[in-house]
Amino acid sequence: MQCIKKNPFIRSFLAILSLCLIFTQLFAGCSSPDNNNTFVGRNGKLKVIGSQLCNQKKEPIQLKGMSSHSLNLFGRFVNTNTIQYLRDDWGMTLFRTAMYTEEGGYIKNPDTKKKVQEAVQAAIDAGIYVIIDWHILSDGDPNIYKSQAKEFFKEMSTLYGKYPNVIYEICNEPNGKDVTWSGSIKPYADEVISVIRKNDPDNVIIVGTDTWSQGIDAVEKDPLNFKNIMYALHFYAGTHGKELRDRIDYCIGKNIPVFASEWGTSLSNGSDGVYPVETTQWINFLDERKISWANWSLSDKAESSAALTPSANSNGGWTDSDLSESGLMVKYIMKGKNEAPFFCEGFESMLFTSGGWNVTGAMILQDQQAPAGNYVSILKNDNTISKSKSTKGYKSIKLELAYSLRNLKGNDAFTIEWFDGHTWSQLDKISQNSDWTVKKYAIPEASSNNPDFMIRFTSSLSEPSAKISLDEVKLIGERTIEN
Ligand code: IDC
């Protein structure tokens, strides 16, 4: 050993070797593990050119993703498995970690930060972009927790500044009549951005605007003086419409870069709806302008903006019946599919009422052979289940369902009908016994864009042993904005 250490050749060889090792380590740390095979691998560092978000080759890019709900309430849906699943199955290229400051969030529970870190690491591993969102809301003035924000973003930018995946959103939705752009928000942003820029010279920073991130136009006279800044515009399709879209166009015309870092298919309170026509209007508008977005929210809260239903587990792999109507809409928008299910019932809630069914006699029971999930609906003799579902915003309506028919004989039948607002018409009448079978019916044109549309399933059976099982009832249509 002694002689090896003394030998100058071996010593310099060892020195070079260790330098090489250090370099490889450094390099490995700087790039995502994926390189060219992932979305971030292909698009790299983002930059803002004029009003447009662009990739490393200066080509316009549009990111589409989900926002978490409050991390400390619904953090169970935020992990490597869900993020990879959403990337692979929905085509998600962006994830937003909504870290509430108040409402039991970071200020009282700084540990919530660990969830942010878990999500950021998961997004880096998955090769997608990730927004670290300082989710002010009831604390309308971002200056209230400015020192905590600076400390938080100092740490985040130190940890993640070298990764092209990361986007900072430094104040979700400033609000309150005294909380103006030039008076409160911009001075806050100047300080927080300076902190981030010390560690991260170029990743994109999204800055909230007044009136719950709707006041993007106030930026015009007093823009921030940093590179790669975008301004948040948040909308809820049931509440906000053309006026906000016109404002976006005005701002784009003035070279103000806009990021729709939060939007919902519902009203702005997160409930009511969904609003398919209005959502389609918004989505077409964003697509035409390549404006990036994140949808509120990846949670199973009992509010219509939540994408998941209580049957959704915490690890992804969700079937369409684990998704709410909002979740279905957003999933297929992300996948770029125009024809898609807009309602899907798997009876997993064990309650007909949660799917809006009207029921005479039918039950929901467990079935080992169910085509998806654990539960199915059972019809014995003279049972009916029916449902009203407006098809406004959809055309070329189809019904898909899985059924099994047992011990039917003679004139026994399972009847499937639809209603156009005036008359019921038969789609099918089945008497043949069968194991689980999936069938799809195209429903005539009068079912399109029809607020009074209904479907109905009826059983007419002669023996007590006869039974009809029903599962995965889907209404499928093409999104349209015809009124
Ligand atoms: C809503 C949640 C709701 C929660 C409420 C208060 O959907 O469950 O009770 O916050 O924490 C926003 C906010 C976002 C809101 C959402 C819907 O950024 O936090 O979430 N919304 O109201 N701005 C406009 C709408």
Side-chain angles (χ1 to χ4, degrees):
M1 203 61 198
Q2 270 307 0
C3 73
I4 292 177
K5 276 194 179 155
K6 275 183 189 148
N7 182 326
F9 290 108
I10 292 181
R11 267 166 63 181
S12 39
F13 174 75
L14 284 175
I16 290 168
L17 190 72
S18 42
L19 266 179
C20 284
L21 277 173
I22 289 169
F23 270 116
T24 3
Q25 288 280 317
L26 270 177
F27 236 72
C30 287
S31 63
S32 331
D34 45 65
N35 304 322
N36 292 330
N37 296 327
T38 65
F39 192 73
V40 173
R42 288 189 297 277
N43 289 289
K45 264 192 186 176
L46 300 173
K47 22 176 145 308
V48 180
I49 302 176
S51 66
Q52 180 61 52
L53 183 65
C54 295
N55 68 11
Q56 62 190 358
K57 294 183 208 143
K58 303 188 177 171
E59 300 156 342
I61 188 173
Q62 185 188 21
L63 311 179
K64 300 179 185 182
M66 289 306 296
S67 172
S68 74
H69 196 289
S70 164
L71 289 178
N72 52 306
L73 296 178
F74 295 95
R76 65 180 177 279
F77 296 113
V78 180
N79 56 59
T80 309
N81 293 338
T82 51
I83 286 178
Q84 287 193 2
Y85 166 74
L86 288 166
R87 175 196 66 182
D88 296 339
D89 202 57
W90 295 27
M92 180 177 81
T93 53
L94 170 72
F95 190 76
R96 177 179 188 245
T97 61
M99 191 184 74
Y100 275 76
T101 41
E102 280 194 343
E103 301 183 57
Y106 177 77
I107 300 301
K108 288 221 174 86
N109 295 296
D111 263 6
T112 313
K113 183 170 70 181
K114 293 194 183 126
K115 216 11 149 181
V116 175
Q117 290 178 238
E118 183 184 343
V120 173
Q121 194 54 54
I124 292 169
D125 294 342
I128 63 164
Y129 294 94
V130 59
I131 298 178
I132 301 178
D133 164 34
W134 181 258
H135 201 84
I136 66 162
L137 188 60
S138 52
D139 42 338
D141 186 341
N143 294 292
I144 297 175
Y145 298 120
K146 184 177 68 185
S147 60
Q148 291 90 333
K150 285 163 76 173
E151 195 187 325
F152 173 76
F153 282 110
K154 182 178 173 194
E155 187 179 354
M156 292 300 123
S157 56
T158 307
L159 287 170
Y160 303 117
K162 64 186 177 198
Y163 294 99
N165 310 67
V166 172
I167 298 171
Y168 309 90
E169 183 169 4
I170 62 173
C171 49
N172 168 50
E173 291 185 353
N175 62 85
K177 79 172 164 29
D178 301 327
V179 183
T180 60
W181 172 254
S182 293
S184 311
I185 307 165
K186 190 189 171 211
Y188 163 86
D190 273 328
E191 286 192 46
V192 177
I193 295 170
S194 303
V195 169
I196 294 174
R197 282 294 180 247
K198 284 200 186 110
N199 304 313
D200 181 340
D202 42 25
N203 275 329
V204 169
I205 300 175
I206 303 171
V207 184
T209 53
D210 69 61
T211 325
W212 295 278
S213 285
Q214 292 164 52
I216 40 172
D217 47 344
V219 169
E220 185 191 351
K221 294 202 177 71
D222 195 9
L224 284 157
N225 205 6
F226 295 90
K227 271 195 324 184
N228 290 342
I229 301 297
M230 301 188 81
Y231 300 92
L233 182 287
H234 292 178
F235 69 88
Y236 281 75
T239 305
H240 311 111
K242 187 168 181 312
E243 198 188 324
L244 264 197
R245 289 195 290 273
D246 287 348
R247 191 177 297 170
I248 295 179
D249 273 342
Y250 176 84
C251 288
I252 291 176
K254 302 283 176 191
N255 262 341
I256 299 171
V258 177
F259 201 121
S261 49
E262 186 187 300
W263 72 273
T265 59
S266 65
L267 290 185
S268 64
N269 62 6
S271 292
D272 195 24
V274 298
Y275 289 83
V277 177
E278 293 77 3
T279 297
T280 302
Q281 269 165 342
W282 269 106
I283 289 300
N284 291 350
F285 176 90
L286 299 178
D287 282 351
E288 280 161 18
R289 290 155 186 77
K290 286 200 180 292
I291 296 176
S292 297
W293 53 258
N295 173 259
W296 186 264
S297 71
L298 190 69
S299 79
D300 66 352
K301 187 163 175 173
E303 59 182 12
S304 62
S305 56
L308 305 174
T309 64
S311 67
N313 68 38
S314 310
N315 285 303
W318 305 309
T319 65
D320 281 353
S321 54
D322 292 324
L323 306 182
S324 68
E325 288 182 37
S326 184
L328 279 173
M329 203 180 294
V330 175
K331 167 180 169 178
Y332 288 100
I333 286 172
M334 248 188 236
K335 287 173 91 73
K337 285 214 174 142
N338 206 20
E339 190 193 77
F342 55 93
F343 170 80
C344 180
E345 176 65 80
F347 304 107
E348 296 306 308
S349 69
M350 295 174 275
L351 291 172
F352 283 112
T353 45
S354 63
W357 295 95
N358 277 318
V359 177
T360 323
M363 297 169 286
I364 297 178
L365 292 175
Q366 215 159 2
D367 182 340
Q368 302 294 342
Q369 262 83 51
N374 299 317
Y375 292 89
V376 302
S377 165
I378 305 283
L379 287 78
K380 304 292 270 186
N381 183 32
D382 249 346
N383 291 174
T384 304
I385 74 170
S386 67
K387 177 179 170 58
S388 298
K389 175 78 190 111
S390 165
T391 59
K392 263 181 94 52
Y394 294 97
K395 62 178 185 184
S396 306
I397 309 298
K398 297 187 175 79
L399 169 71
E400 188 184 297
L401 71 162
Y403 62 80
S404 85
L405 270 54
R406 277 163 221 266
N407 303 331
L408 273 65
K409 35 182 206 191
N411 291 331
D412 288 0
F414 172 48
T415 311
I416 306 172
E417 294 160 294
W418 70 283
F419 186 66
D420 65 2
H422 305 285
T423 6
W424 284 99
S425 311
Q426 194 173 296
L427 275 177
D428 204 354
K429 184 169 182 175
I430 314 165
S431 297
Q432 194 99 47
N433 285 307
S434 72
D435 282 337
W436 281 105
T437 305
V438 176
K439 266 209 183 156
K440 197 169 178 177
Y441 303 91
I443 311 182
E445 178 52 29
S447 60
S448 292
N449 208 33
N450 186 332
D452 302 316
F453 179 79
M454 291 174 80
I455 45 168
R456 181 164 76 187
F457 305 101
T458 313
S459 55
S460 169
L461 309 171
S462 51
E463 298 280 337
S465 66
K467 113 177 161 184
I468 294 164
S469 311
L470 196 58
D471 202 7
E472 301 298 292
V473 180
K474 297 186 188 188
L475 285 167
I476 298 165
E478 284 174 37
R479 279 186 305 113
T480 159
I481 50 175
E482 290 157 40
N483 277 307

